[in-house]
């Protein structure tokens, strides 16, 4: 395979992560399928495919964990609302759970991680198009 085709295919593997905005779990499935079909063609495609799949799995995990961190704020907000109804005689004090500020803070973090993901995918795609072996930051190596 010519070097130009390798670079183009690596570019496509990285940029295919944007399919996650159209297909559920597409940001993991599409790069995985592309990597599996092209990994035997060259070492460069194998390395870049692993990197793209690991990156997308890692960031999906990060978003999932951030999403779960909203649960305590929602539960605390519910308890605060119930505590104001004296008819039920709820006499427990959980404290200030953050309420709106907790939701906004977690939402801001999710937005920042999402924008960071978009920027890193574009950077990786452009670097691989030039033939550079790009490594994503903060990526867990699920596939070695």
């Amino acid at each position: 395979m010519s070097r130009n085709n390798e670079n183009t295919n690596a570019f496509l593997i990285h940029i295919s992560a944007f399919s996650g905005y159209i297909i559920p779990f597409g940001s993991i499935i599409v790069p995985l399928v592309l990597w599996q079909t092209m990994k035997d063609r060259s070492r460069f495609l194998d390395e870049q495919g692993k990197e793209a799949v690991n990156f997308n799995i890692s960031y999906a995990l990060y978003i999932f964990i951030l999403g779960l961190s909203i649960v305590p704020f929602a539960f605390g907000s519910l308890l605060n609302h119930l505590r104001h109804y004296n008819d039920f005689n709820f006499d427990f004090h959980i404290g200030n759970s953050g309420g709106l500020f907790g939701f906004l803070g977690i939402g801001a973090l999710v937005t920042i991680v999402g924008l960071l993901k978009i920027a890193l995918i574009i950077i990786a795609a452009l670097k691989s198009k030039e033939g550079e072996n790009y490594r994503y930051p903060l990526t867990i190596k699920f596939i070695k």
Side-chain angles (χ1 to χ4, degrees):
M1 174 178 278
S2 73
R3 187 69 179 157
N4 191 27
N5 283 344
E6 282 182 8
N7 296 349
T8 302
N9 287 335
F11 172 84
L12 291 174
I13 290 172
H14 286 291
I15 213 77
S16 69
F18 288 124
S19 64
Y21 294 108
I22 299 169
I23 304 167
F25 299 106
S27 63
I28 297 170
I29 295 170
V30 176
L32 180 65
V33 169
L34 288 175
W35 167 60
Q36 286 294 316
T37 58
M38 295 183 200
K39 71 179 180 179
D40 296 330
R41 296 181 186 178
S42 76
R43 182 176 173 89
F44 179 69
L45 287 174
D46 186 37
E47 290 173 0
Q48 290 303 295
K50 286 178 190 176
E51 194 66 26
V53 172
N54 284 330
F55 168 75
N56 288 303
I57 293 172
S58 296
Y59 276 77
L61 181 64
Y62 300 152
I63 293 294
F64 178 74
I65 290 170
L66 281 173
L68 282 180
S69 67
I70 289 178
V71 172
F73 294 108
F75 187 67
S77 179
L78 174 69
L79 290 178
N80 278 337
H81 283 86
L82 290 176
R83 188 170 26 135
H84 293 304
Y85 295 109
N86 289 333
D87 296 340
F88 296 112
N89 285 330
F90 284 111
D91 194 32
F92 48 83
H93 298 283
I94 301 298
N96 191 0
S97 65
L100 181 62
F101 292 112
F103 283 118
L104 293 177
I106 299 295
L109 281 175
V110 169
T111 301
I112 290 169
V113 170
L115 291 174
L116 182 66
K117 179 181 178 181
I118 291 170
L120 289 174
I121 289 171
I122 292 170
I123 291 168
L126 293 176
K127 296 277 186 177
S128 65
K129 181 70 173 152
E130 297 298 320
E132 293 182 40
N133 196 4
Y134 184 76
R135 298 277 180 227
Y136 289 101
L138 303 172
T139 301
I140 303 168
K141 301 293 182 195
F142 293 103
I143 302 171
K144 296 182 183 194

